[in-house]
Amino acid sequence: LKVVDSHDEL
Amino acid sequence: MNIFRFAGDMTHLISILVLLLKIYATKSCSGISLKTQELYALVFLTRYLDLFTDFISVYNTIMKLVFIASSLAIVWCMRMHRVVRRSYDKEIDTFRHYFLILASFLLAVLVHEKFTFQEIFWAFSIYLEALAILPQLVLLQRSGNVDNLTGQYVFFLGAYRAFYILNWIYRYFTEQHFSRWIACLSGIVQTALYADFFYYYFISWKNNAKLQLPA
C-alpha cells in the first residue's frame, strides 16, 4: 500500500 | 479535505440513500434508469482501481467501498430482484448508453494525465460520470410525472458535483500547483447537464407542485 495524493478525491 | 468536498461527498451519499430508500420502501424502480445505474457502477469500478494499491485515508477507502457496493446492489436489484425488476420501465429506458461508454473511452485514450492503464481508466470514469445521468434525464422527460424520491435522488446527485466545483475553486486558491483540469472541466459539464432539471425542480418546489418535466 503506497500512500499517494494523486487522486485523493472520490 | 475541505467543507465543500465533505458536503459534496455527503450529498452524493444522500442521493444513494434516497435511491435505496425509494427502491426498498416502494419495492419499485419505476422512473429509475437502469442504464444510468449501470454507468455509475462502471464509473466507480474504473475510478477506484487503486482501492487496494493506494491508501489515502480510512474515510476514502470506506466511501469507495460504499459507492461500489451500493451501485452494484442497485443494478442487481433492478435486474434480478423478482419484485423490483417488474417495475422497471424497460420500454422507455432506451437511451443507447453504449455510445456514452465508447465516447468516454476514446476521449480518455486521447486526454489523460498519464498514459498508464490506471490513469486512462480514471479519466474514462471522470468523462463517463459527466454523461451518466443522460439516460435518467431522458427517462424522466419521457415518463412525465416524477415521484418525489426520484426527483430528490436526481437533485442530490446533481448537487454533489456542484459542491465539488466549489471544492476545486477552494483548492486552487489554497494549494500551490493544484490542477485538476480533467475533473474540473468534466464536473462543469456534468453539473450543466442538470441545469434544466434544477430549474424545473426549483419551480415545483416554489409552487409546491408536482415536479413536471416538459416532454
Side-chain angles (χ1 to χ4, degrees):
Chain A
L1 271 182
K2 58 185 190 303
V3 182
V4 296
D5 68 346
S6 57
H7 295 313
D8 61 343
E9 297 179 345
L10 288 173
Chain B
M1 174 62 83
N2 60 64
I3 186 65
F4 301 113
R5 182 144 65 99
F6 185 69
D9 291 342
M10 290 306 106
T11 304
H12 193 181
L13 189 62
I14 289 170
S15 78
I16 292 171
L17 294 178
V18 165
L19 181 53
L20 286 169
L21 173 68
K22 175 215 161 49
I23 293 177
Y24 180 76
T26 65
K27 285 287 181 283
S28 153
C29 62
S30 68
I32 301 296
S33 163
L34 171 60
K35 301 188 176 212
T36 285
Q37 299 311 316
E38 288 169 346
L39 291 178
Y40 258 99
L42 191 57
V43 163
F44 293 135
L45 289 171
T46 52
R47 185 171 305 175
Y48 303 148
L49 291 173
D50 62 350
L51 181 63
F52 300 112
T53 56
D54 298 354
F55 178 76
I56 309 273
S57 68
V58 173
Y59 167 83
N60 187 274
T61 301
I62 290 175
M63 290 298 279
K64 285 176 177 177
L65 289 170
V66 165
F67 287 160
I68 290 173
S70 58
S71 60
L72 291 176
I74 287 163
V75 168
W76 178 85
C77 218
M78 290 184 71
R79 275 184 171 276
M80 312 298 257
H81 190 287
R82 54 179 167 62
V83 176
V84 171
R85 63 186 286 196
R86 278 208 298 264
S87 55
Y88 168 47
D89 308 319
K90 196 194 340 257
E91 57 288 339
I92 52 174
D93 188 20
T94 57
F95 195 101
R96 282 186 292 278
H97 62 323
Y98 296 112
F99 287 136
L100 301 179
I101 296 173
L102 183 66
S104 304
F105 189 74
L106 291 179
L107 185 58
V109 169
L110 295 173
V111 180
H112 41 263
E113 287 182 6
K114 278 197 302 269
F115 194 75
T116 64
F117 179 82
Q118 198 160 313
E119 282 299 324
I120 287 178
F121 274 97
W122 181 82
F124 165 72
S125 82
I126 292 288
Y127 303 139
L128 187 60
E129 187 187 0
L131 303 174
I133 197 61
L134 285 173
Q136 178 64 60
L137 292 178
V138 166
L139 188 136
L140 289 186
Q141 277 182 331
R142 287 184 184 160
S143 61
N145 67 323
V146 182
D147 71 73
N148 287 343
L149 285 171
T150 303
Q152 282 153 8
Y153 161 66
V154 176
F155 172 76
F156 285 118
L157 193 54
Y160 111 83
R161 214 61 180 169
F163 277 119
Y164 257 76
I165 292 171
L166 298 178
N167 152 64
W168 290 316
I169 294 170
Y170 175 84
R171 293 187 76 178
Y172 180 77
F173 287 112
T174 56
E175 294 174 26
Q176 283 78 11
H177 55 267
F178 172 80
S179 78
R180 286 279 204 308
W181 292 115
I182 288 179
C184 197
L185 292 179
S186 192
I188 290 168
V189 168
Q190 178 171 337
T191 307
L193 288 177
Y194 287 79
D196 68 335
F197 174 84
F198 284 146
Y199 170 73
Y200 290 111
Y201 193 81
F202 172 71
I203 296 291
S204 80
W205 170 78
K206 193 159 68 79
N207 303 338
N208 198 15
K210 202 105 171 77
L211 176 59
Q212 290 287 336
L213 291 178

